Amino acid sequence: MSQDTLVKRQFGHRARLALSPAGVRKADDQAHAARTMWNLLHAWWRMMPKEKRTLTNADAAIRQARGDIDFLAVLPAQAARAVLKTYFQAWKNCWDGRADAPNFKGRLRTVMSVDVPQGRDLNIIRVHRRWGMANLSKVGRVRFRWTKDLPVGKRAGLENRVTGARLVKDALGWHIAFRVQALQVKPEPHQGPEIGIDVGVTVPIALSDGETYEHDEWLTEREQAKLLHLEQRAARRKRHRTPGERTSRRLHHTYDQIAGLRAKAKRRALDWQHKTTTTIARTYGTVVVEALTITNMVKSARGTIEEPGKNVAQKSGLNRSISGEAWGRTVTMLTYKTARLGGTLHKVPAPNTSQRCSGCGLTTPGSRESQAVFVCKNPDCGWSGNADWNAARNVLHLYRMGLALVPAAGRAVSRRAKRVEPAAAR
């Protein structure tokens, strides 16, 4: 097989770890040490003169800190060096305008994580149909859920291998995210039909051929009632705290229960999105979506003191519904899945796709009679149908008319990133 037909693919795979209580404590200690290491680097950076902010000097400072502070010694040396590289890369991203400047990481608002830079140190093996094992430095041999085949054992090589991993903790416990590199056959162009997609709140995904993809609530009625009860309990306990009083263990436990239910809902939403986008990418060769600016759509309608907003509560509910559907994540999944299967994804301008009639092409006031029904008020047309189907047909029509948007070559430079660090400090 020639090299022209092969393509190198890099992807991630996340699996749930089965840690013992002792293993959980060790992983927690490493995550706190990694966060502390980041904060010490940040303080060192702000303290040192610009000409001494080099990778060599920072590495020497880290070595000295790990030798002087026992708490930092629980973090493996390679993980500490990964924190250093990540911090310097964060400043490079800031100077290039891709992100804001790195800052202090608080204990409560920071995701607990530990990096494993070298994949060969994991020594991954499959021990059961549903379980695999990996070696974590200073934690030991741990089990993880085997839900996807990994290039280990005889299939591992220079081109197909696990290059590293990252331990991440959420409300459901510790997970391991593998970084996988694979050499695969370049996909042939997808011969499937073209399809337009309209995303919404009532109907999450509507296709231009009339197909729709819907889902139930992410939490059952019993789970929703429990979540409401926990939120009310947390509000009561928080209301009775005096200013400056330390948060009680009971309140922390209530917060953990709330986070667990929300994490369960997010996991179910991700599962539905992955299955739905995979089906679409396998069926259609060209996928067309709207270029939505979601951050503007979920802005608050509260307004100001001089000009207060209207229907603030209704707008807040709509914002929560839009954020819950995660339209941007759906588009991201479709982007890489269509490319992996030989298809393409295009974006078209979003204005008036829900108001324009897909039958005659005219935008007549009053045609959108309700959230679900579209009836064209043009006397010469009179087309009627589902409103989401009508919008999806308009999305596909814009692409066929040659109005697909061309991706920008680069992102706009952040104004905050410009003023944080002058070019001389690079």
Side-chain angles (χ1 to χ4, degrees):
M1 186 177 296
S2 64
Q3 293 293 329
D4 295 338
T5 61
L6 298 177
V7 60
K8 184 179 293 186
R9 177 186 164 215
Q10 294 180 344
F11 61 94
H13 171 61
R14 180 165 169 161
R16 192 167 184 175
L17 287 174
L19 295 178
S20 64
V24 171
R25 287 194 298 271
K26 292 179 181 179
D28 289 347
D29 291 342
Q30 289 191 13
H32 288 307
R35 179 185 58 83
T36 305
M37 184 72 70
W38 174 283
N39 292 335
L40 291 176
L41 274 172
H42 189 57
W44 175 88
W45 178 277
R46 297 170 67 89
M47 180 183 63
M48 296 297 291
K50 295 179 180 178
E51 61 274 6
K52 293 186 178 181
R53 297 173 181 172
T54 63
L55 193 63
T56 303
N57 292 340
D59 185 63
I62 280 184
R63 292 175 182 270
Q64 182 179 356
R66 295 185 71 248
D68 297 340
I69 305 175
D70 295 338
F71 172 70
L72 297 179
V74 301
L75 186 67
Q78 291 187 352
R81 198 168 294 111
V83 174
L84 173 62
K85 293 181 179 179
T86 303
Y87 184 80
F88 271 70
Q89 184 62 43
W91 274 113
K92 291 180 181 179
N93 295 338
C94 172
W95 292 328
D96 295 339
R98 296 192 297 269
D100 292 333
N103 52 18
F104 179 85
K105 288 189 175 183
R107 182 184 180 92
L108 298 180
R109 66 175 185 270
T110 302
V111 177
M112 298 179 64
S113 62
V114 181
D115 197 71
V116 184
Q118 300 293 335
R120 62 175 178 269
D121 297 336
L122 293 170
N123 295 324
I124 302 171
I125 61 172
R126 186 173 185 177
V127 296
H128 188 262
R129 182 171 62 91
R130 294 184 177 180
W131 292 98
M133 294 194 73
N135 184 53
L136 301 181
S137 181
K138 297 191 176 183
V139 175
R141 204 72 180 151
V142 298
R143 295 191 306 160
F144 64 90
R145 293 286 292 179
W146 191 282
T147 57
K148 186 180 181 68
D149 288 339
L150 298 172
V152 297
K154 296 181 179 180
R155 293 182 298 172
L158 295 178
E159 301 296 342
N160 299 287
R161 58 192 176 94
V162 177
T163 59
R166 189 172 188 84
L167 306 182
V168 183
K169 186 178 184 181
D170 61 11
L172 299 177
W174 277 100
H175 297 72
I176 182 168
F178 297 103
R179 295 187 290 268
V180 183
Q181 174 183 297
L183 192 65
Q184 299 179 346
V185 179
K186 188 175 181 180
E188 296 291 335
H190 201 299
Q191 302 299 324
E194 301 172 342
I195 197 68
I197 296 180
D198 174 70
V199 292
V201 175
T202 305
V203 179
I205 296 179
L207 307 185
S208 57
D209 59 1
E211 185 74 22
T212 59
Y213 293 92
E214 303 181 41
H215 58 77
D216 297 328
E217 295 291 338
W218 303 129
L219 295 176
T220 63
E221 293 184 3
R222 186 175 181 179
E223 291 170 339
Q224 291 179 14
K226 182 179 179 180
L227 178 61
L228 178 61
H229 174 69
L230 291 172
E231 290 174 341
Q232 292 173 345
R233 179 192 298 176
R236 286 195 303 269
R237 289 177 175 171
K238 186 177 180 181
R239 185 169 59 248
H240 291 294
R241 289 173 56 212
T242 58
E245 182 183 359
R246 186 174 181 178
T247 305
S248 65
R249 290 187 178 182
R250 288 184 178 181
L251 184 54
H252 272 305
H253 179 64
T254 304
Y255 285 152
D256 291 340
Q257 289 179 297
I258 293 173
L261 284 173
R262 291 177 176 172
K264 183 181 293 186
K266 182 178 180 181
R267 184 180 61 180
R268 291 171 180 171
L270 278 170
D271 180 70
W272 180 84
Q273 283 184 308
H274 273 294
K275 291 178 179 177
T276 303
T277 52
T278 299
T279 300
I280 294 175
R282 288 176 177 173
T283 306
Y284 304 99
T286 301
V287 179
V288 189
V289 298
E290 298 173 288
L292 298 174
T293 308
I294 302 175
T295 54
N296 294 339
M297 299 175 65
V298 296
K299 284 185 177 179
S300 174
R302 185 174 302 173
T304 60
I305 298 177
E306 295 79 10
E307 297 182 0
K310 299 180 180 179
N311 300 325
V312 178
Q314 292 86 336
K315 184 62 167 63
S316 298
L318 177 61
N319 292 348
R320 286 193 297 269
S321 299
I322 294 175
S323 300
E325 293 300 334
W327 296 338
R329 190 167 61 203
T330 299
V331 174
T332 300
M333 291 180 180
L334 284 172
T335 301
Y336 74 80
K337 289 182 180 182
T338 52
R340 186 190 307 169
L341 297 173
T344 56
L345 183 136
H346 303 275
K347 294 183 179 181
V348 296
N352 298 325
T353 53
S354 61
Q355 304 296 329
R356 175 183 176 273
C357 176
S358 60
C360 63
L362 298 179
T363 303
T364 308
S367 296
R368 186 76 180 262
E369 291 189 347
S370 65
Q371 181 66 29
V373 179
F374 186 95
V375 179
C376 183
K377 299 301 182 181
N378 181 13
D380 298 331
C381 179
W383 185 90
S384 62
N386 182 272
D388 299 306
W389 178 36
N390 175 73
R393 292 179 59 182
N394 286 328
V395 169
L396 181 60
H397 174 75
L398 291 176
Y399 167 73
R400 290 174 173 174
M401 293 293 293
L403 298 179
L405 300 177
V406 179
R411 296 182 181 179
V413 177
S414 171
R415 289 179 293 176
R416 187 185 304 178
K418 281 185 175 181
R419 65 171 178 264
V420 167
E421 190 71 20
R426 307 184 195 181

